[in-house]
């Protein structure tokens, strides 16, 4: 085990593992839709525009859920909010399985999105607050790597279920695999205490503080960063299976294999991104990972790669596109004092999700007029250029300590 983990108390270890488990469940439940989408399009006679709407509704709802959970976590506590969000994700995913038409699935995805957005917002703050400053990026990155685990579980479970069961029944069973893990995580979270930074707060701040000077500038920068990171990721995560299905005529098992390799790459990307952030600083990590993301997305969507070469290229695709988030999380947490840390991180991260949902809707609307691979390639260039610009603008936050009495600093002007 790494040194940072060995230095954690028993309660902090439980907090870390349940955060990791919640993020994995998030990834698995939400990503299952990408594997089901190629089936639902012909099965229900859905258009690509409707397929994009089902992604957009999750991101829009997750934006509301994340902002709400961030505010609630500053008022009620990080752990209490996490107990609620994991149940919301489980219920929404279960309702997806029993949906009978597009409208019902849209509502179920909205419920799923509310919990999905809140889960990460509260979990990222919790992990950041129990970590030591010198290892915070690695610890947040380690928890964030659970997204790769959930992504892999989604690829594996959907590949098996959709191969073994009839299509019209299998896609429903695909959505049901996360119910038991959700209940287990909820039970484990009943034993966790709030982090010391939260318990030590002597005042509560208004959520409006993140829009007042001197914090407002950081809120803009954080929102810009999250918008670029989410837009690039969700474009790839949503449409990559469909590209493989339509352009390459891959089967469900072949698509699962490619995304499984991407999930393995993302696992190493999270670890590397966290190490880069602690070793060279948050800004340097963001710049390296955003440039790598552009290059790999263009390689996979624009170059005439063979099927074997494309399978290999799935590793760096996952490495950069998902590894980027291990640098995003620490930055957003370190931008804000304890009094509004959940509110600030929740707003920025989920504003980015909401904007990504809006932009993906635009992409889906334009798909009838352009090639899908070309559209995703252009979209990726724009998205990661935004990340690059944000990385230039933000201040370096690597040395920030949550033990400082921030309420006595210049932040008090806003709080």
């Amino acid at each position: 085990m790494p040194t940072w983990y060995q230095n954690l108390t028993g309660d902090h270890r439980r907090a870390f593992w349940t955060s990791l488990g919640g993020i994995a469940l998030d990834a698995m439940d939400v990503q299952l839709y990408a594997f089901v989408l190629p089936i639902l399009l012909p099965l229900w006679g859905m258009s690509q525009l409707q397929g994009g709407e089902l992604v957009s509704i999750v991101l829009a709802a997750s934006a509301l859920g994340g902002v709400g959970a961030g505010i609630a976590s500053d008022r009620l506590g990080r752990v209490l909010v996490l107990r609620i969000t994991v149940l919301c994700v489980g219920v929404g995913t279960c309702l997806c399985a029993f949906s009978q038409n597009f409208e019902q699935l849209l509502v179920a995805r909205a419920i799923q999105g509310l919990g999905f957005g809140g889960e990460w917002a509260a979990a990222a703050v919790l992990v950041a607050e129990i970590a030591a400053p010198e290892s915070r990026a690695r610890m947040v990155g380690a928890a964030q790597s659970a997204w790769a685990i959930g992504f892999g579980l989604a690829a594996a479970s959907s590949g098996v279920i959709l191969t073994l069961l009839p299509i019209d029944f299998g896609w429903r069973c695909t959505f049901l695999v996360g119910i038991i893990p959700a209940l287990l995580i909820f039970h484990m979270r009943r034993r966790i205490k709030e982090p010391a930074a939260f318990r030590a707060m002597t005042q509560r701040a208004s959520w409006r503080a993140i829009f007042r000077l001197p914090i407002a500038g950081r809120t803009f920068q954080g929102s810009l960063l999250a918008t670029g990171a989410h837009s690039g990721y969700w474009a790839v995560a949503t449409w990559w299976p469909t590209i493989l299905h339509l352009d390459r005529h891959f089967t469900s098992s072949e698509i699962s294999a490619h995304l499984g390799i991407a999930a393995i790459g993302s696992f190493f990307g999270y670890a590397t991104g966290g190490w880069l952030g602690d070793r060279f600083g948050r800004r340097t990590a963001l710049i390296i990972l955003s440039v790598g993301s552009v290059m790999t997305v263009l390689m996979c969507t624009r170059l005439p790669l063979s099927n074997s070469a494309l399978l290999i290229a799935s590793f760096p695709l996952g490495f950069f596109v998902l590894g980027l988030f291990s640098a995003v999380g620490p930055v957003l947490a370190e931008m804000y004092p304890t009094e509004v840390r959940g509110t600030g991180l929740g707003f920025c991260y989920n504003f980015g999700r909401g904007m990504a949902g809006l932009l993906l809707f635009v992409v889906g609307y334009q798909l009838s007029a352009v090639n899908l691979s070309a559209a995703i390639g252009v979209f990726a260039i724009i998205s990661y250029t935004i990340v690059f610009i944000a990385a230039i603008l933000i201040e370096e936050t690597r040395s920030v300590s949550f033990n400082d009495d921030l309420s006595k600093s210049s932040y008090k002007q806003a709080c």
Side-chain angles (χ1 to χ4, degrees):
M1 285 292 181
T3 302
W4 61 258
Y5 181 81
Q6 296 176 10
N7 292 334
L8 296 178
T9 65
D11 189 67
H12 286 176
R13 291 183 181 185
R14 284 191 294 272
F16 170 77
W17 284 112
T18 60
S19 296
L20 186 147
I23 293 173
L25 181 66
D26 258 15
M28 182 177 71
D29 286 357
V30 174
Q31 283 302 138
L32 286 172
Y33 172 73
F35 297 97
V36 170
L37 179 59
I39 294 172
L40 286 181
L41 288 176
L43 186 65
W44 281 4
M46 286 168 47
S47 66
Q48 291 180 335
L49 175 59
Q50 288 177 310
E53 287 176 354
L54 286 169
V55 177
S56 296
I57 191 63
V58 165
L59 298 183
S62 72
L64 294 175
V67 172
I71 295 172
S73 71
D74 286 335
R75 294 285 177 176
L76 306 176
R78 307 357 179 166
V79 177
L80 177 58
V81 170
L82 283 170
R83 293 172 188 163
I84 298 171
T85 56
V86 71
L87 290 180
C88 191
V89 172
V91 170
T93 305
C94 185
L95 290 175
C96 287
F98 294 101
S99 298
Q100 300 299 313
N101 51 50
F102 172 80
E103 290 75 19
Q104 291 180 10
L105 185 57
L106 194 71
V107 173
R109 293 275 289 172
I111 295 172
Q112 186 186 50
L114 289 172
F116 169 53
E119 178 73 22
W120 193 91
V125 172
L126 176 64
V127 173
E129 289 184 340
I130 64 176
E134 62 273 11
S135 59
R136 185 175 295 126
R138 279 169 288 172
M139 189 165 170
V140 173
Q144 188 74 44
S145 69
W147 188 270
I149 298 173
F151 197 111
L153 290 174
S157 62
S158 63
V160 172
I161 294 173
L162 295 175
T163 300
L164 296 179
L165 298 179
I167 292 299
D168 56 351
F169 177 65
W171 75 264
R172 297 183 184 278
C173 294
T174 300
F175 279 119
L176 292 175
V177 296
I179 301 303
I180 293 178
L183 295 175
L184 290 175
I185 293 170
F186 173 80
H187 176 71
M188 293 176 63
R189 285 178 175 171
R190 296 176 63 188
R191 302 176 56 200
I192 302 173
K193 300 177 182 177
E194 295 292 346
F198 177 82
R199 297 198 307 268
M201 280 198 303
T202 58
Q203 63 177 10
R204 296 290 188 269
S206 168
W207 61 269
R208 298 180 183 86
I210 66 171
F211 303 110
R212 298 170 182 162
L213 294 175
I215 304 180
R218 294 192 171 200
T219 299
F220 169 77
Q221 295 161 6
S223 299
L224 190 67
L225 173 63
T227 296
H230 276 299
S231 297
Y233 166 71
W234 284 104
V236 174
T238 301
W239 293 110
W240 186 236
T242 303
I243 291 174
L244 295 177
H245 178 70
L246 296 179
D247 293 354
R248 300 274 181 160
H249 307 291
F250 285 170
T251 64
S252 294
S253 59
E254 288 174 323
I255 293 173
S256 295
H258 278 72
L259 295 183
I261 295 297
I264 294 172
S266 68
F267 184 85
F268 288 96
Y270 285 125
T272 303
W275 177 80
L276 286 171
D278 283 335
R279 178 67 178 84
F280 299 105
R282 316 311 192 213
R283 299 174 68 193
T284 300
L286 289 170
I287 290 171
I288 292 173
L289 293 168
S290 62
V291 172
S293 296
V294 170
M295 295 176 63
T296 52
V297 171
L298 290 180
M299 177 177 66
C300 291
T301 59
R302 304 306 297 151
L303 295 183
L305 301 178
S306 66
N307 289 348
S308 298
L310 188 62
L311 181 64
I312 296 173
S314 296
F315 184 92
L317 180 68
F319 181 96
F320 286 106
V321 170
L322 278 159
L324 175 65
F325 286 90
S326 63
V328 173
V331 169
L332 296 182
E334 291 162 348
M335 281 182 169
Y336 296 96
T338 303
E339 291 84 353
V340 290
R341 184 167 297 124
T343 302
L345 182 147
F347 176 83
C348 293
Y349 197 81
N350 291 286
F351 176 87
R353 269 186 182 152
M355 287 300 296
L358 176 61
L359 294 173
L360 279 173
F361 177 80
V362 174
V363 170
Y365 186 76
Q366 295 294 326
L367 287 181
S368 59
V370 298
N371 176 270
L372 180 56
S373 295
I376 299 306
V378 172
F379 195 78
I381 293 176
I382 297 173
S383 299
Y384 294 115
T385 298
I386 293 174
V387 174
F388 186 90
I389 293 172
I392 298 298
L393 293 176
I394 64 173
E395 297 179 14
E396 180 57 58
T397 59
R398 177 173 48 165
S399 60
V400 170
S401 173
F402 294 165
N403 293 324
D404 294 337
D405 187 2
L406 293 176
S407 64
K408 295 181 180 179
S409 70
S410 59
Y411 285 113
K412 191 173 182 180
Q413 300 173 34
C415 294

